[in-house]
Structures are given as C-alpha cells and as structure tokens.
Amino acid sequence: RDGKYESSEVANNRQGFNQVHHWLKKRQATGAGVCLEATGIYSDEVALFLHERGYRVSVVNPARIAAFASSQMRRSRTDALDAQVIAAFAQALQPAVWTPPEPAWWELRALLRHLDDLHQTRQQQVNRLESAQTEAVQAQLTAHIAFLEAQIADLKRQIKDHLKQHPHLKAQVDLLTSIPGIGNLTACRLIAEIRDLTAFDDVRQVVAYVGLDPTWRESGSSVRGARHISRQGRSALRQALYMPALVARKHNPILRAFAERLSQRGKLPKQIIVAVMRKLLHLAYGILKSGQSFDPHFLDLHPATP
C-alpha cells in the first residue's frame, strides 16, 4: 500500500489459511490477486482454500521467482523479504490465474506418488536384505518385502480401477500408451505430474517444465561451454522418462531413426537418450493435442529433424 509492504506469518494449515483470509479482509483485500511459489503439497491446499474464497490465485514456478529476484539485485533472504519479492513479481508480470484440478486428478496423483514411495521402500529393504547377517533379520526383511509387494500389487489394481471409473483419464492414458516406449505407469505419471499437457501453449514449455530444455554458455570466443539440459523442472518426470527412452530407442520406429541420425553425427549415448526423452514429450504433447493415436508412418508425410 502506497509503496509500503505489510507482512504476517501464519502456520501452513487450515487455521493459518483462515488467518490469512481474515488478515486480507481486514485490509479490504478480499478477492485480491494472491501469488505463491509452487511447492507441491505445501502449496496445493492453501491455493485451493484461497481459490474457493474468490481470490485470484497464481501458483508460479520458484525458478521464475528466483530469476526475478536476481534481476532486481536482491541478495538478502528472509521470509518477509521473500514475500516482498513474490508480491513485486506478481505486480510486475501479472502471472496466469491458477485453476484447481478435478478431484479425479488429485486421486490419481496421490495413488501414483504413494506407489513410488512403496517402490522406494521396497528397494531399501531389498538392499538391507543383501547385507543382513542373521537369520532373524533376514526373516523380518523377507516378510516386510512380501508385505510391500502385496501393497504394490493392490495399489496398481486401485490405479487401474480409478482409470475405469474416469474414462477421460483412461482415454489420455490409452493415447499415450499407443507410443512405443510409454507404458501404462509412465502414461499415468505424465498425466498425474504434468496435469494437462495440452494446457501449455507449445511443446517447448512442456520440455522446460520437465527440465529437458537444452542450455549452453557462450561468450565471445573465449567462453564456450558444452550444452546440457537445464534440470530446472521436475526431476521425478525426468527419471520416469529415462527407461521409456531406452525402450523407445529400440522399438519406436520414429525415435529409432532419430537416434540413429544422432549417433551418425557423433553424439554420445547419454546425449542421445536425453534427446529421445525430449522427443517422447513432443510425441505425447502432439498426440494428446490431436486426440489421434501414434502413427508409425507419420515420418513418411512429415520428415522429422533433430
């Protein structure tokens, strides 16, 4: 107000959300624009709470906020100063208004993330079993692994049932799995973590969201850094695309030809896999955008370029 900032600190829970709402009402800011950084479970609930009460909520990639802070030559970091940066960012750039996802999407994402947690816990127990030195410990670990495997199998059934109950989600999964290299779980992860690929203006935004966009450093003739990916996006999505890229390089006719061209140009195996991961996103975006399943003869009519 009048160039001055007011701030308040509350807990990130339902009581704290209500405190924010009353704090804003007291300042006659009901329905104001509210901007916050996207921090997964830490931002989802408060964003939904404020949206339901009529605020124009914007949920922004933290990397954009950090870049804005750097452009403003802001060096100090406190909660109050960070809040000022976000407010200044929102006022200057007017970020897009956030809309909450449907409950079916929330459920799918929760199921997939729990499945990943179970897989991680199972692998930890398998690693412990390999180094267990007593029969008693081995028996306990073996029983725990069997229990986790039963939970994993049950959770996969729940995911399958969830898709049957929500045909629009299943239709997206079916389109994605028509791409050789993308299996059912990978398709579900793409939908659960990206939410709506077709909401992006173009595929380059999707690639940047996942952190597979290429970057390089070059200045004059003395500084020429190697190209690499930005890694600014979702690391879980990059991990989810790695194995599908290995499969697609062998069994996807379009991406096999693409990988061969890169190999002939002297690209390293790791560079080729990253490029194939990026091309998988291109295919996923195009197929969901068009609503048409994968066509292995697409290149005959539309020659691809690296």
Side-chain angles (χ1 to χ4, degrees):
R1 293 172 178 271
D2 301 323
K4 297 181 180 180
Y5 290 94
E6 294 183 60
S7 64
S8 179
E9 185 174 335
V10 301
N12 192 1
N13 55 33
R14 198 75 176 181
Q15 181 180 359
F17 304 161
N18 276 304
Q19 289 174 349
V20 169
H21 179 48
H22 291 301
W23 189 84
L24 291 169
K25 284 179 64 177
K26 186 177 180 180
R27 286 155 180 77
Q28 299 181 340
T30 303
V34 177
C35 184
L36 58 148
E37 293 182 328
T39 52
I41 59 174
Y42 300 107
S43 60
D44 289 342
E45 289 191 20
V46 65
L48 182 61
F49 176 93
L50 294 171
H51 173 84
E52 290 174 343
R53 280 151 186 79
Y55 294 95
R56 294 175 288 106
V57 180
S58 297
V59 182
V60 180
N61 188 323
R64 292 186 63 194
I65 303 293
F68 179 82
S70 296
S71 72
Q72 299 293 304
M73 302 295 288
R74 296 177 186 254
R75 297 290 184 265
S76 300
R77 292 294 304 274
T78 67
D79 286 345
L81 289 175
D82 285 350
Q84 290 181 21
V85 169
I86 297 173
F89 169 88
Q91 187 175 35
L93 299 182
Q94 299 291 311
V97 175
W98 176 85
T99 55
E102 58 172 328
W105 178 86
W106 285 113
E107 180 69 15
L108 179 63
R109 191 182 70 168
L111 290 170
L112 264 295
R113 289 186 174 181
H114 185 47
L115 179 64
D116 290 340
D117 289 341
L118 288 177
H119 276 296
Q120 183 178 3
T121 302
R122 179 193 174 279
Q123 187 58 51
Q124 290 171 348
Q125 298 301 74
V126 169
N127 294 341
R128 293 189 180 107
L129 180 61
E130 292 176 353
S131 60
Q133 297 179 350
T134 68
E135 291 184 1
V137 173
Q138 291 174 355
Q140 287 278 336
L141 290 171
T142 300
H144 192 196
I145 291 169
F147 171 75
L148 290 169
E149 289 175 344
Q151 282 200 317
I152 288 171
D154 181 63
L155 196 54
K156 287 182 177 179
R157 285 192 292 270
Q158 290 185 48
I159 293 171
K160 187 175 181 179
D161 292 340
H162 183 73
L163 293 176
K164 289 181 180 178
Q165 295 169 9
H166 301 282
H168 64 293
L169 291 177
K170 187 177 185 304
Q172 294 179 55
V173 170
D174 290 342
L175 284 172
L176 290 175
T177 54
S178 72
I179 304 172
I182 294 184
N184 191 69
L185 285 178
T186 300
C188 288
R189 285 190 176 93
L190 288 174
I191 293 169
E193 295 298 335
I194 301 180
R195 182 180 168 187
D196 183 6
L197 275 79
T198 61
F200 290 86
D201 292 334
D202 57 57
V203 72
R204 290 175 299 178
Q205 293 181 1
V206 179
V207 171
Y209 180 81
V210 179
L212 287 172
D213 48 320
T215 62
W216 61 92
R217 184 183 178 192
E218 181 175 308
S219 178
S221 59
S222 59
V223 179
R224 293 184 181 275
R227 293 192 180 193
H228 55 84
I229 58 174
S230 70
R231 299 183 187 275
Q232 294 294 315
R234 304 296 301 276
S235 60
L237 283 169
R238 294 195 297 275
Q239 294 171 8
L241 285 168
Y242 180 76
M243 289 304 297
L246 292 178
V247 176
R249 182 180 179 181
K250 292 183 178 180
H251 302 289
N252 187 309
I254 291 178
L255 297 184
R256 183 172 61 244
F258 171 68
E260 288 174 355
R261 290 198 304 276
L262 293 181
S263 180
Q264 291 169 3
R265 290 168 52 186
K267 298 297 182 181
L268 298 174
K270 186 177 180 179
Q271 293 175 316
I272 295 173
I273 291 302
V274 170
V276 172
M277 291 165 63
R278 190 158 49 238
K279 283 295 185 181
L280 277 175
L281 283 177
H282 279 249
L283 289 175
Y285 179 83
I287 282 172
L288 290 180
K289 199 81 169 178
S290 67
Q292 301 295 319
S293 298
F294 175 80
D295 180 5
H297 304 294
F298 183 80
L299 280 181
D300 297 339
L301 299 175
H302 306 83
T305 56

